[in-house]
Amino acid sequence: MNPREVAAVLAYLGHLDPRTMRTDTGEARDQIAQWHELLGDVPFTTEHGWDVRKAIKAHVLASPYPILPVDVARQWRTYRRDRLARHTDPTPVADPDDPAAWRAELLGTRHAVAAGATAPATHRQLTSGAPRPGIEERLAAIGSCIPPAVRAELAKYRPARAAREAAIAAGGPDTLSVRCEWCHAVEGEPCRSRRVGLDGNARGNAPRATPHPSRIDLVVAARTQQVAA
C-alpha cells in the first residue's frame, strides 16, 4: 500500500473504532508514516480473497483492543501461508535443461499465488477431503470402481475377499457380516487359522480363505431371522 491507501485504511478504521482517530495534523502524519512502514508490502486488495478492510473489521469484532499495524501484517502473512499450503507447483513450461529459467518460473508462480494475483493450483484437493456428494449412489449404480478384469487378476492375491464376493454374487449370505466367535475376527475381516495349544491358548494367526463353520452358522441364523421377521 502507498501512503494514500494507508490514509484511506486509517479513515476506515477510525469509522469503526474512534479510539484510533488522530485529530492533530502532526499525529495523523506520524500515524500514516508508521502504518506505511509496516504495511508497505501489504496490498489493499487482491483478486483472490484478500481485503485489508475485511481484516480490520474482523479484528475490531473479535478483539476489545485497538488494532495495530502489526496485526494487519500478521493476518496478511497468514493469508500468504494458507494459499501456499493449498498450492501444488505445476510443471513449468520452461526448458528443463535450463535450471535458471525453470527455477525462475516456479518462483514466479509461487510469488503470484502468495500475493493473491493467481489462484492456487490445488491438485492435492483431488484426493483429499470428504467424498463428493452422490458418490455412493454412483458406485451402487456401476457396481464397483474396479474393472472386472482387474478384479479377476487380484483374486489370487486376496482369496478370502474373492470367496466372499463369489458367495454374495451366487445369492448366498455375506459370511463376514458378523463377528467370528471362534477366532474373534471382527465384522468385515477374514477368519484366522488358530489352534488351541496344550496350555489352552490360541496359536497361529494366518488369514483363512474361508470362514469358520461356526461363523457361517451365525450368518445363516441371522438371515433366517430376517426372513421370518
Side-chain angles (χ1 to χ4, degrees):
M1 288 186 286
N2 56 45
R4 293 178 64 86
E5 291 174 328
V6 171
V9 169
L10 289 172
Y12 176 74
L13 174 59
H15 174 70
L16 298 181
D17 187 358
R19 296 175 299 175
T20 62
M21 295 182 64
R22 299 294 184 267
T23 56
D24 182 78
T25 303
E27 291 182 356
R29 186 183 301 111
D30 293 341
Q31 186 184 35
I32 292 175
Q34 179 196 24
W35 279 63
H36 181 255
E37 179 70 22
L38 292 172
L39 303 181
D41 60 343
V42 177
F44 191 84
T45 60
T46 66
E47 297 180 2
H48 299 279
W50 169 261
D51 190 324
V52 68
R53 293 165 296 186
K54 293 181 179 179
I56 290 174
K57 185 177 181 180
H59 180 93
V60 172
L61 292 174
S63 175
Y65 302 103
I67 190 172
L68 298 174
V70 293
D71 296 322
V72 179
R74 288 167 183 162
Q75 291 197 48
W76 168 245
R77 291 185 178 183
T78 300
Y79 170 86
R80 288 170 55 93
R81 286 196 301 268
D82 175 70
R83 291 179 62 79
L84 288 175
R86 293 186 288 111
H87 174 68
T88 300
D89 290 323
T91 303
V93 297
D95 185 357
D97 292 330
D98 187 350
W102 184 278
R103 182 174 181 273
E105 185 174 343
L106 282 177
L107 292 178
T109 302
R110 292 180 186 178
H111 178 74
V113 170
T118 303
T122 52
H123 299 305
R124 292 191 185 97
Q125 294 184 0
L126 295 176
T127 56
S128 64
R132 293 179 59 85
I135 189 66
E136 297 294 340
E137 291 77 6
R138 292 182 60 187
L139 285 176
I142 63 177
S144 173
C145 59
I146 303 178
V150 177
R151 186 179 296 276
E153 288 294 325
L154 292 175
K156 55 187 176 182
Y157 300 105
R158 47 181 191 179
R161 185 181 183 91
R164 178 189 186 187
E165 292 174 350
I168 296 175
D174 183 2
T175 53
L176 303 189
S177 60
V178 298
R179 179 177 182 272
C180 182
E181 299 298 334
W182 170 252
C183 66
H184 307 297
V186 298
E187 297 180 12
E189 294 293 329
C191 287
R192 299 284 177 171
S193 297
R194 292 183 176 178
R195 309 183 305 276
V196 178
L198 297 177
D199 56 357
N201 295 324
R203 303 181 184 278
N205 199 36
R208 290 169 51 97
T210 57
H212 287 107
S214 59
R215 192 175 194 180
I216 299 177
D217 294 340
L218 289 175
V219 174
V220 173
R223 190 175 186 182
T224 302
Q225 292 179 357
Q226 293 178 356
V227 173

